[in-house]
């Protein structure tokens, strides 16, 4: 009930009150991932990034493989803190789940972004990539390039797209039989 109140308060723009409600929800349900995630999201919206990071970390202690929480923490590191190094170090765990070809392509893309993000972005958006990359990694790399360009909104948009693509890929993978 307290989490539902927080969601309602957030929906009507009363974010400070929503933070208080979600904080209370985390005290009532200390093992609940959802209250911690809602708390972190609202703190992020208010620009209270250090507190949001701590809340996401707590949610990940409770559910270390939650794609929802992992993705939101990645977006916070990339967009909120502007820390591409930390964001990609954090994303490394998910990257290891991809096949070896994708991992090499991703590493090549990140090296290229660090060297010349403008050239990378022009090439990627024109569809002329010199290597194959899946949609998740493509969107992550464009998000990094946008962040380096100082375009937080663009970085957030591509980070969100990466999360959507990752969710689709995970759902498809769950449908495949395990050998």
């Amino acid at each position: 009930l307290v989490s539902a109140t927080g969601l309602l308060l957030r929906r009507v723009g009363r974010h400070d009150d929503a933070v208080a409600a979600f904080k209370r929800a985390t005290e009532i349900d200390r093992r609940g991932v959802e209250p911690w995630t809602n708390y972190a999201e609202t703190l992020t919206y208010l620009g209270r990034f250090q507190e949001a990071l701590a809340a996401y970390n707590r949610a990940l202690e409770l559910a270390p493989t939650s794609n929802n929480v992992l993705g939101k923490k990645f977006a916070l590191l990339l967009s909120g803190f502007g820390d591409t190094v930390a964001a990609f170090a954090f994303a490394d765990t998910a990257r290891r789940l991809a096949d070896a070809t994708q991992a090499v392509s991703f590493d090549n893309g990140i090296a290229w972004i660090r060297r010349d993000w403008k050239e990378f972005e022009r090439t990627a958006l024109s569809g002329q990539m010199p290597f194959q990359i899946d949609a998740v990694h493509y969107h992550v790399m464009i998000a990094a390039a946008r962040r380096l360009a100082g375009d937080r909104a663009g970085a957030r948009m591509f980070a969100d797209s990466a999360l959507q693509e990752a969710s689709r890929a995970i759902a498809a993978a769950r449908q495949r039989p395990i050998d």
Side-chain angles (χ1 to χ4, degrees), residues 16-131:
D16 289 322
D17 293 332
V19 164
F22 290 133
K23 177 66 176 162
R24 181 70 183 125
T26 65
E27 292 164 356
I28 293 169
D29 184 8
R30 294 186 187 281
R31 309 269 322 140
V33 175
E34 193 172 323
W36 283 103
T37 304
N38 287 329
Y39 181 52
E41 286 175 334
T42 309
L43 289 166
T44 299
Y45 178 84
L46 292 172
R48 294 165 56 182
F49 301 135
Q50 290 293 343
E51 293 169 88
L53 185 59
Y56 281 132
N57 287 340
R58 177 64 181 136
L60 287 171
E61 287 173 14
L62 299 169
T65 60
S66 168
N67 294 318
N68 180 40
V69 181
L70 287 167
K72 288 175 180 178
K73 181 178 174 182
F74 171 80
L76 172 65
L77 290 169
L78 186 61
S79 301
F81 288 102
D83 189 345
T84 54
V85 173
F88 287 111
F90 178 72
D92 190 53
T93 302
R95 180 180 62 88
R96 286 187 202 134
L97 300 176
D99 64 47
T101 304
Q102 289 296 325
V104 169
S105 295
F106 186 69
D107 289 344
N108 288 340
I110 295 306
W112 188 0
I113 290 168
R114 288 183 176 141
R115 187 174 60 252
D116 186 349
W117 67 265
K118 289 179 186 177
E119 179 192 4
F120 170 84
E121 187 174 60
R122 271 192 309 274
T123 304
L125 293 175
S126 72
Q128 303 298 315
M129 295 294 282
F131 49 81

Side-chain angles (χ1 to χ4, degrees), residues 140-160:
V140 166
M141 288 188 289
I142 295 294
R146 289 285 75 220
R147 182 62 189 93
L148 290 172
D151 178 8
R152 286 179 181 248
R156 180 63 160 241
M157 181 185 74
F158 279 102
D160 288 345

